Amino acid sequence: MSRYDAVVFDLDGTLVDSNLDFAALRRELGFPEDEGVLEHLGTLSDPRRIERSRAIIDRHEMQGAASATWIDGAQALLERLHDHAVPTAILTRNSRAAVARTRATLGLSVDLILTREDCAAKPDPEGLLRITRTLALVPSRTLYVGDFIYDLQAARNAGMVAVLYCNGRNQRFAADADLVVDRLETLLDWVLAPPG
């Protein structure tokens, strides 16, 4: 018996680096620095501004997806989890089109991917709970790995183990995580180690 049954991942900044510059994106959109891009988009009422904003977000995401590269250790971790028949999934705030391009670019291989078109955006737990239902997982025995506060909040809201992938720029979120890793491959030990 292993310590955990499954691993769910965020995408950008956790498995892949798409070099998305959120500060530049917010500047182009004219969105505030202290609010999530999707959250602020949801407050807009002018249909033309909404359409223009969505086009800008899509352009940034698609450019990032086309040039995406693996985070160190991510591809090997997914392969090892697959070798051990550990279920894997991705929950991302990215669009379905951007994820499809990233998947084509890198050959992402997981059991299930949910995007912002599939469920409420993190930190809402809807996506994670849908993943647990679809893959028949127990939330408390599932890790959710991400690099941002929304990831950790979503994991907590879903009753999952909140894992922060620490990249040197996000240590401020460590207090909100159940587990902090700075190398993705160390997750294999956490998943496969016997409970104790």
Side-chain angles (χ1 to χ4, degrees):
M1 186 175 179
S2 61
R3 187 176 297 179
Y4 298 106
D5 298 332
V7 188
V8 183
F9 297 92
D10 171 48
L11 186 59
D12 282 333
T14 303
L15 289 178
V16 305
D17 184 357
S18 57
N19 293 304
L20 278 177
D21 184 341
F22 283 99
L25 174 60
R26 282 188 176 92
R27 281 194 302 274
E28 186 173 352
L29 290 166
F31 284 10
E33 295 286 327
D34 59 347
E35 187 176 11
V37 170
L38 298 180
E39 284 71 20
H40 191 74
L41 179 65
T43 69
L44 301 181
S45 57
D46 179 357
R48 285 182 300 186
R49 184 162 185 219
I50 292 170
E51 184 178 348
R52 177 183 173 276
S53 297
R54 284 184 175 147
I56 291 169
I57 293 167
D58 287 345
R59 176 169 42 82
H60 278 259
E61 285 187 347
M62 294 302 280
Q63 288 171 347
S67 62
T69 57
W70 287 104
I71 296 284
D72 285 345
Q75 185 176 17
L77 174 61
L78 286 177
E79 289 170 358
R80 295 286 306 280
L81 290 170
H82 178 75
D83 290 345
H84 288 279
V86 175
T88 55
I90 291 171
L91 174 65
T92 177
R93 287 165 57 101
N94 286 6
S95 71
R96 191 176 293 137
V99 171
R101 180 169 289 179
T102 301
R103 197 170 196 176
T105 301
L106 298 178
L108 279 172
S109 180
V110 295
D111 299 305
L112 179 63
I113 299 177
L114 295 184
T115 69
R116 67 171 174 256
E117 289 94 345
D118 300 312
C119 54
K122 298 175 286 185
D124 191 294
E126 179 189 350
L128 291 178
L129 294 173
R130 182 169 161 193
I131 288 169
T132 60
R133 287 192 303 271
T134 303
L135 299 180
L137 305 174
V138 176
S140 63
R141 292 186 50 81
T142 303
L143 302 176
Y144 183 55
V145 187
D147 67 315
F148 192 63
I149 188 65
Y150 291 158
D151 302 316
L152 304 175
Q153 291 170 341
R156 289 282 176 84
N157 292 340
M160 288 184 178
V161 179
V163 182
L164 176 67
Y165 169 60
C166 198
N167 58 23
R169 300 178 305 278
N170 60 355
Q171 297 93 331
R172 65 191 182 278
F173 305 132
D176 293 288
D178 298 311
L179 176 64
V180 178
V181 296
D182 57 9
R183 291 173 37 248
L184 287 173
E185 54 268 32
T186 62
L187 286 171
L188 199 64
D189 296 331
W190 280 90
V191 174
L192 299 181

